[in-house]
């Protein structure tokens, strides 16, 4: 493979990793797909082939699920104490941290994002999530319950038990962070896992699998099957011996996962799309709100499920805010993620580029105006200009649908009640933000917004301790914080007659 000549400054470990076809992790071993097939991943900055990866399908999923079942029921994992499980997760976090540069480079090559962000956001966040969840391993508790049944005395209590074999399907926008959000809590409570990374970005998850073996996770506890959504992903969601499927991705695919899960009524948690309202009131600190609004949409090339893609601005400051966001868009240095001066990279794939451009065309056709941007960048790689659309109407596709690219629609409003109504006028309910100096108004509006997260005078602030998930069609369940324990444990009531 010509990868090292195309990218001469790669770290040696990264070049070596890319130089070999990547296998899947099943039952503690690196294996090829049963079919022997592989697929290619691409460098979004150039469109060139980056790596060859095993193309798992139904049979591979089945092998992985069998390994996960064995590891859940027998061998060292179920015998391990909570503290030992916590220590394994801490060790994995330490290993990941000690390979930070390597992971950052790999993430940027695979996903396209500026390496600056991979280095200070993606990989450190994943490390933090593993550490935070390691702490929960020893803190999953049941309770004793006074009961009033007649005729005898009883002692009743609850046990919180690991749910079993978990299938986890993750997207490409934050490959390592999503892997950590899924793996860390499931492993902390004692589940075993089959992880299916996105076909666009499987590389850091596979490298993480190597570190998990080095950390000492027993065979079969963590399996990683690479492959496509409609084949490997669908087989995992439908597998009759999987106890739970956890998914992050589009609402459309979330509904397919739900359908596939009905066969054995496996538990389902979903973290899906969004069309998040970002509301700027006239009394906001615009020095903070304007860059905040720009980052809310342009961070990660707009490929965030929480992207602040509907910017509601009070009409008295509309022109000033829109102009400020447009100026911020113009200041981005667009380029390959590995270039240290880049702060806006390519979108993840050709398919995504076409999708975002399709939305831009539909918006303009329906009467929207691009104050800045509006096009893809010519030349190789999947680059889209950061775009601010005005003159939009509520019924336009660009206002209603998730674009998942660096495109914001700016909408003027007059009254707080009106903007709350407009903000909630969406099938989604993942996140929202409010910018104002009036703390009463901030909290009143926060209470009325139908969203799983509301930020006040900030945006995209995440923490492993803060529960995250969606209202409405943005999902089922909450990840992170202690809320996530609900997703990976069953409660057993035990009642003894005394
Ligand atoms: P996008 O459309 O933005 O690529 P998806 O929601 O399609 O996002 O992808 C998120 C994850 O879901 C990926 O790992 C993908 O392979 C997987 N996936 C896609 N389609 C299906 C499906 N029908 N069943 C299970 N998983 C799927």
């Amino acid at each position: 493979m010509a990868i090292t000549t195309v990218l001469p400054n790669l770290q040696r470990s990264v070049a070596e990793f890319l130089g070999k076809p990547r296998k899947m992790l099943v039952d503690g071993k690196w294996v090829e797909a049963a079919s022997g097939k592989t697929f290619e991943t691409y460098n979004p900055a150039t469109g060139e082939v980056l790596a060859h990866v095993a193309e798992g399908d139904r049979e591979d999923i089945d092998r992985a699920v069998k390994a996960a079942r064995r590891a859940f029921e027998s061998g060292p994992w179920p015998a391990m104490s909570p503290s030992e499980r916590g220590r394994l997760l801490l060790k994995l976090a330490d290993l990941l941290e000690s390979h930070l540069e390597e992971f950052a480079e790999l993430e940027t090559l695979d996903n396209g994002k500026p390496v600056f962000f991979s280095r200070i956001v993606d990989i450190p966040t994943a490390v933090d999530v593993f550490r935070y969840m390691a702490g929960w391993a020893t803190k999953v508790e049941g309770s004793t319950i006074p009961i009033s049944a007649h005729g005898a005395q009883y002692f009743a209590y609850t046990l919180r038990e690991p749910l079993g074999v978990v299938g986890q399907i993750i997207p490409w926008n934050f490959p390592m962070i999503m892997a950590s959000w899924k793996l860390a809590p499931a492993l902390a409570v004692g589940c075993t896992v089959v992880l299916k990374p996105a076909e666009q970005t499987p590389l850091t998850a596979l490298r993480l699998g190597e570190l998990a073996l080095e950390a000492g996770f027993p065979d079969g506890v963590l399996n990683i099957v690479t492959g496509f959504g409609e084949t490997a992903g669908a087989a995992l969601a439908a597998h009759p011996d999987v106890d739970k499927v956890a998914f992050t991705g589009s609402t459309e695919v979330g509904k397919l996962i739900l359908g596939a899960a009905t066969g054995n009524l496996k538990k389902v948690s979903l973290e899906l799309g969004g069309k998040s309202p970002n509301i700027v009131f006239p009394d906001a600190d615009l020095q903070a709100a304007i860059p905040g609004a720009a980052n809310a949409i342009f961070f990660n090339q707009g490929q965030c499920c929480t992207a602040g893609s509907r910017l509601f601005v009070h009409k008295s400051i509309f022109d000033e805010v829109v102009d400020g966001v447009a100026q911020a868009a113009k200041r981005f240095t667009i380029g390959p993620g590995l270039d240290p001066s880049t702060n806006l990279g390519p979108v993840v794939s050709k398919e995504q580029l076409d999708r975002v451009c399709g939305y831009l065309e539909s918006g303009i056709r329906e009467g929207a105006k691009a104050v800045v941007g509006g096009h893809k960048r010519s030349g190789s790689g999947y680059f889209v200009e950061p775009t601010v659309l005005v003159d939009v109407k509520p019924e336009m596709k660009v206002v209603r649908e998730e674009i998942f690219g660096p495109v914001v629609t700016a909408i003027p409003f007059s009254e707080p009640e009106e903007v709350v109504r407009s903000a909630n006028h969406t099938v989604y309910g993942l996140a929202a933000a409010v910018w104002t100096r009036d703390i009463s108004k901030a909290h009143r509006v926060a209470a009325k917004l139908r969203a799983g997260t509301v930020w006040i005078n900030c945006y995209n602030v995440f923490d492993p301790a803060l529960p995250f998930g969606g209202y409405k069609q943005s999902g089922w369940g909450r990840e992170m914080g202690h809320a996530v324990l609900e997703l990976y444990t069953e409660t057993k009531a035990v009642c003894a007659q005394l």
Side-chain angles (χ1 to χ4, degrees), residues 460-483:
N460 273 340
V461 177
F462 293 93
D463 192 277
L466 205 55
F468 180 79
Y471 280 39
K472 300 194 267 180
Q473 293 190 34
S474 287
W476 284 5
R478 292 292 177 273
E479 299 192 282
M480 301 202 284
H482 55 80

Side-chain angles (χ1 to χ4, degrees), residues 169-170 172 196-200 229 233-234 247-250 253 256-257:
I169 301 173
I170 57 173
W172 45 258
K196 211 291 287 168
E199 52 270 38
Q200 297 85 347
F247 171 75
T248 296
S250 60
V253 174
L256 295 177
I257 302 268

Side-chain angles (χ1 to χ4, degrees), residues 424-472:
N424 286 336
H425 184 66
T426 167
V427 298
Y428 296 111
L430 195 58
V434 182
W435 301 82
T436 173
R437 286 191 173 98
D438 176 343
I439 56 167
S440 302
K441 181 162 62 187
H443 293 292
R444 269 200 309 271
V445 172
K448 288 192 180 138
L449 290 169
R450 304 264 299 145
T453 296
V454 179
W455 288 293
I456 298 174
N457 296 332
C458 58
Y459 208 96
N460 273 340
V461 177
F462 293 93
D463 192 277
L466 205 55
F468 180 79
Y471 280 39
K472 300 194 267 180

Side-chain angles (χ1 to χ4, degrees), residues 314-328:
H314 191 267
K315 62 181 186 194
S316 63
I317 50 166
F318 186 78
D319 290 344
E320 185 182 355
V321 172
V322 167
D323 183 58
V325 175
Q327 294 306 325

